């Protein structure tokens, strides 16, 4: 386990050192970026709408019962912006994109394509890792902003049409504007950027260290997703502590 | 032929006391070899004898536990050696990048190192593919090619580097006999045309005796003998003779 952590930190450091290659690899970054967007946008939309709806459904009736209908918008808004959108989207991306990255690079490792790059003096970190980590680091924060907006809308729809709440859109969003500050959304976006780096580096690391044929690829994919999710949850706590100060 | 390939010139390769272990198991037990510039040198041996591991050391994909590898007298581990000499490996599977077209694969080295403008790269790629007898495959994906075509595309990718040393890992494995002969002739033709040093690792006896200037027989991580095909055939060692003469036992 410690060896794995050490290797992941080393790969992260090497990816940082490769940053000057960004302009050279820009086409691959854009390709990966659009692939991530294409693969996740619809899912992000559906998931976020229902997360917003579920939060409204869980807290709304209780708050209404205690004569606090006016704060439902704020509760849904804060929960989504600060916590749920960044964490849920990071987990979704780990499952949808991180697994695909680990499988693709893992397959390239097993079938000697990575070795072929090395024999041509092409650094796999420049060619494979950097574009993916950059693309996911750009895409996830954007998806989180989108997710927050859709989630707020989902919460507003449920709060408005559920007979236990009947909170008008105007009241919901007025309260949301009062309680949620831009800083809250920015914190969530910052967290999602950190999660994106974690998913990108962990998935690429698993891919590059894949051995043992199709079974090995399967193992790497599972490890990439599980390790990413564990690290997302741990870093979520650490970042929340850091951002609360 | 073309200007780019004619400019290549083979390099000499010396291996001294090469040792490598994986998880406590010694795979290479002190390999000594000398490959002359411009020759076709075949390393032949049964599966699991350490051939592919040796090949990975020769191209710098593995680091030895002990010993040294010299290219024209320069240690292969030195960063300047990689810049000074052009070496290419043709992988057993071809190892073409599946996400790129055949043309993009062949031109990858030039494109990634920005050595030529795109139009020039396209011209060179078409030329190298034609050199190995592949036509109308530039825009195909590797998955659309047969095993033999993949290997020839991999050779074309190696040629783009204008190599002074080409290493072939089991070039005829998984090929039908006709395709194997085509690949063998390709190795001979390249050697004749550009005098590139060719090091072939194979367990295919027909290929080895058909193309080699000299042959080394490896077994259990050790070189058993090195010599011309005739010398190796006459080498009286039970392991070598067993490998060279093994045949089916049919009742007469």
């Amino acid at each position: 386990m410690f060896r794995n952590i050490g290797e992941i930190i080393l790969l992260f450091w090497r990816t940082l050192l490769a940053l000057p290659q960004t302009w050279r690899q820009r086409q691959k970054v854009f390709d990966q970026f659009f692939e991530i967007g294409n693969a996740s946008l619809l899912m992000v939309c559906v998931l976020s709408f229902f997360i917003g709806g579920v939060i409204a459904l869980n807290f709304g009736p209780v708050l209404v019962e205690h004569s606090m209908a006016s704060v439902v918008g704020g509760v849904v808004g804060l929960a989504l912006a600060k916590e749920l959108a960044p964490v849920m989207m990071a987990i979704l991306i780990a499952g949808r994109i991180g697994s695909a990255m680990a499988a693709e690079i893992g397959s390239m490792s097993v079938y000697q394509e990575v070795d072929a790059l090395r024999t041509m003096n092409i650094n796999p970190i420049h060619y494979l890792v950097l574009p993916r980590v950059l693309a996911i680091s750009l895409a996830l924060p954007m998806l989180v902003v989108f997710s927050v907006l859709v989630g707020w809308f989902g919460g507003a729809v449920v709060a408005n049409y559920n007979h236990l709440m009947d909170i008008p859109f105007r009241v919901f969003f007025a309260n949301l504007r009062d309680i949620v500050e831009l800083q809250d959304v920015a914190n969530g976006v910052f967290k999602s950027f950190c999660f994106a780096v974690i998913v990108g580096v962990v998935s690429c690391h698993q891919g590059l260290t894949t051995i043992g044929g199709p079974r090995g690829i399967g193992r790497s994919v599972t490890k990439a997703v599980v390790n990413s999710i564990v690290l997302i949850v741990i870093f979520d706590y650490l970042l929340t502590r850091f951002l609360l100060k | 032929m073309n200007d780019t390939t004619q400019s290549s010139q083979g390099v000499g390769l010396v291996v001294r006391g090469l040792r490598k272990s994986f998880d406590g198991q010694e795979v290479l037990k002190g390999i000594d070899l000398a490959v002359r510039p411009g020759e076709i040198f075949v390393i032949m041996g049964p599966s699991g004898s350490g051939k592919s591991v040796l090949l990975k050391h020769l191209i710098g994909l593995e680091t030895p536990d002990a010993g040294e590898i010299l290219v024209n007298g320069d240690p292969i581990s030195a960063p300047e050696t990689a810049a000074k000499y052009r070496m290419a490996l043709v992988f057993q599977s071809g190892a073409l990048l599946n996400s790129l077209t055949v043309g993009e694969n062949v031109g990858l080295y030039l494109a990634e190192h920005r050595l030529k403008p795109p139009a020039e790269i396209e011209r060179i790629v078409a030329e190298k593919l034609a050199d190995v007898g592949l036509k109308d495959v530039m825009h195909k994906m590797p998955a659309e090619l047969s095993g033999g075509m993949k290997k020839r595309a991999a050779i074309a990718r190696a040629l783009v580097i204008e190599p002074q040393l080409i290493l072939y890992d089991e070039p005829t494995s998984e090929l039908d006999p006709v395709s194997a002969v085509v690949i063998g002739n390709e190795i001979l033709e390249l050697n004749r045309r550009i005098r590139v040093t060719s090091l072939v690792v194979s367990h295919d006896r027909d290929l080895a005796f058909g193309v080699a200037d000299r042959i080394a027989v490896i077994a259990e991580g050790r070189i058993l003998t090195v010599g011309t095909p005739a010398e190796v055939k006459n080498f009286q060692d039970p392991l070598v003779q067993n490998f060279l003469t093994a045949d089916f036992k049919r009742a007469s």
Side-chain angles (χ1 to χ4, degrees):
Chain A
M1 189 182 84
F2 290 113
R3 188 180 163 183
N4 247 344
I5 293 170
E7 284 175 0
I8 289 169
I9 293 169
L10 196 62
L11 181 61
F12 172 63
W13 176 244
R14 285 179 177 163
T15 310
L16 283 182
L17 292 180
L19 278 175
Q21 298 286 324
T22 302
W23 182 248
R24 226 175 153 167
Q25 302 291 348
R26 64 190 182 282
Q27 191 55 49
K28 289 190 204 82
V29 176
F30 285 128
D31 291 346
Q32 290 289 329
F33 176 79
F34 287 116
E35 210 173 306
I36 292 169
N38 248 343
S40 353
L41 205 56
L42 184 65
M43 257 193 285
V44 166
C45 199
V46 173
L47 198 67
S48 305
F49 184 89
F50 283 100
I51 289 173
V54 164
I55 300 171
L57 205 56
N58 272 315
F59 293 102
V62 181
L63 292 170
V64 169
E65 205 179 302
H66 290 81
S67 312
M68 289 191 284
S70 61
V71 298
V72 174
V75 169
V76 172
L78 267 185
L80 270 165
K82 291 181 83 168
E83 192 61 37
L84 283 168
V87 173
M88 293 301 284
M89 291 312 112
I91 290 173
L92 174 76
I93 289 296
R96 184 76 181 80
I97 305 299
S99 60
M101 282 182 184
E104 189 184 1
I105 299 178
S107 160
M108 291 180 75
S109 297
V110 167
Y111 297 109
Q112 295 184 304
E113 292 175 31
V114 176
D115 281 345
L117 289 175
R118 289 194 179 107
T119 63
M120 287 186 278
N121 231 355
I122 297 170
N123 188 334
I125 293 174
H126 297 178
Y127 188 82
L128 297 172
V129 179
L130 180 71
R132 283 166 174 79
V133 172
L134 283 178
I136 202 170
S137 307
L138 276 174
L140 186 53
M142 287 186 188
L143 287 172
V144 164
V145 171
F146 183 69
S147 162
V148 168
L149 295 174
V150 174
W152 285 349
F153 178 68
V157 167
V158 171
N160 187 50
Y161 292 107
N162 187 280
H163 69 281
L164 294 174
M165 289 178 273
D166 287 328
I167 301 166
F169 283 107
R170 186 180 42 78
V171 174
F172 183 93
F173 282 110
N175 175 242
L176 193 148
R177 265 201 306 275
D178 283 346
I179 293 182
V180 180
E181 292 173 10
L182 189 63
Q183 184 66 40
D184 297 321
V185 179
N187 285 354
V189 170
F190 173 72
K191 272 163 104 173
S192 71
F193 171 78
C194 299
F195 298 157
V197 174
I198 289 170
V199 173
V201 174
V202 168
S203 304
C204 290
H205 168 257
Q206 284 303 334
L208 287 172
T209 53
T210 302
I211 47 167
R215 203 170 169 185
I217 297 169
R219 222 175 5 239
S220 283
V221 170
T222 309
K223 271 174 135 182
V225 175
V226 172
N227 291 352
S228 294
I229 292 174
V230 169
L231 285 173
I232 286 167
V233 174
I234 293 170
F235 272 81
D236 182 39
Y237 174 77
L238 297 174
L239 287 167
T240 305
R241 281 292 301 264
F242 168 73
L243 292 170
L244 278 177
K245 281 180 184 174
Chain B
M1 195 51 64
N2 57 68
D3 292 341
T4 48
T5 50
Q6 278 178 346
S7 63
S8 296
Q9 205 168 23
V11 290
L13 191 71
V14 172
V15 180
R16 283 195 201 123
L18 197 72
R19 289 180 177 276
K20 181 71 179 180
S21 298
F22 293 105
D23 299 325
Q25 192 183 346
E26 200 170 25
V27 179
L28 299 179
K29 301 170 182 172
I31 300 284
D32 293 295
L33 279 178
V35 182
R36 297 166 192 152
E39 76 172 335
I40 301 179
F41 190 93
V42 176
I43 299 172
M44 192 170 59
S47 299
S49 55
K51 303 187 298 289
S52 293
V53 176
L54 173 59
L55 200 65
K56 283 189 171 178
H57 281 84
L58 299 181
I59 196 82
L61 289 174
E62 290 281 359
T63 313
D65 296 337
E68 60 176 355
I69 301 163
L70 305 171
V71 182
N72 271 4
D74 297 320
I76 200 162
S77 52
E80 55 272 20
T81 306
K84 195 170 170 187
Y85 303 105
R86 296 180 305 277
M87 296 178 280
L89 171 60
V90 177
F91 286 84
Q92 185 171 350
S93 60
L96 299 175
L97 273 66
N98 274 318
S99 55
L100 304 181
T101 64
V102 173
E104 285 168 340
N105 263 287
V106 175
L108 187 62
Y109 173 80
L110 298 176
E112 276 302 306
H113 295 289
R114 309 252 165 130
L115 298 174
K116 308 271 182 196
E120 179 74 356
I121 291 175
E122 196 164 334
R123 187 192 64 76
I124 293 171
V125 167
E127 187 180 281
K128 299 300 177 193
L129 285 170
D131 281 354
V132 294
L134 288 177
K135 284 172 188 162
D136 305 324
V137 297
M138 200 192 281
H139 301 293
K140 286 189 175 174
M141 299 306 285
E144 296 174 71
L145 303 186
S146 68
M149 289 165 90
K150 275 183 195 168
K151 293 211 176 174
R152 280 192 277 162
I155 294 173
R157 183 172 70 182
L159 290 180
V160 163
I161 297 172
E162 295 180 25
Q164 294 160 295
L165 170 67
I166 304 188
L167 304 147
Y168 299 88
D169 187 10
E170 303 282 7
T172 58
S173 68
E174 301 161 29
L175 293 185
D176 63 85
V178 177
S179 300
V181 169
V182 170
I183 294 291
N185 283 331
E186 205 63 61
I187 294 169
L188 283 169
E189 171 64 14
L190 286 174
N191 183 260
R192 185 192 62 74
R193 197 198 315 149
I194 60 177
R195 299 306 301 163
V196 60
T197 306
S198 305
L199 198 147
V200 183
V201 159
S202 179
H203 55 231
D204 181 341
R205 291 176 297 194
D206 292 338
L207 174 79
F209 286 97
V211 303
D213 293 319
R214 288 193 305 144
I215 296 173
V217 181
I218 185 173
E220 294 165 2
R222 286 193 182 86
I223 298 289
L224 300 179
T225 181
V226 180
T228 62
E231 286 168 347
V232 169
K233 259 185 188 162
N234 294 324
F235 187 71
Q236 295 305 312
D237 177 277
L239 272 173
V240 174
Q241 283 307 315
N242 182 44
F243 180 70
L244 296 182
T245 59
D247 206 349
F248 299 106
K249 289 175 182 164
R250 287 187 66 173
S252 55

